[in-house]
Amino acid sequence: MISNLLGDHEAVIRFLRDDLTTCAEKHNDMGTSDFLTGLMEQHEKMAWMLRVFLHGQR
């Protein structure tokens, strides 16, 4: 279950990275890009914690 949750966070991170590029380069919308960066950082932190948990369980 934790592995599935980690995979979901990693998927969200990939989608947010794509959206960041679109906002910043295509639409020149730095405000939305900054907002998405904050969301991505939260998901990256959670993914990191889940990875630590999984590796500690082995």
Side-chain angles (χ1 to χ4, degrees):
M1 187 167 55
I2 301 294
S3 295
N4 290 339
L5 184 59
L6 174 59
D8 292 341
H9 279 283
E10 290 172 339
V12 169
I13 292 166
R14 283 191 302 274
F15 287 124
L16 285 171
R17 278 206 179 103
D18 290 341
D19 292 341
L20 276 170
T21 303
T22 301
C23 286
E25 294 175 3
K26 186 176 179 183
H27 300 293
N28 200 27
D29 185 356
M30 299 313 290
T32 301
S33 180
D34 186 51
F35 173 73
L36 294 176
T37 299
L39 290 177
M40 188 175 68
E41 288 172 349
Q42 292 175 12
H43 284 283
E44 286 175 336
K45 182 177 180 180
M46 181 57 71
W48 175 80
M49 287 190 277
L50 292 170
R51 278 188 214 101
V52 169
F53 180 81
L54 285 173
H55 291 291
Q57 296 296 314
R58 291 182 183 175

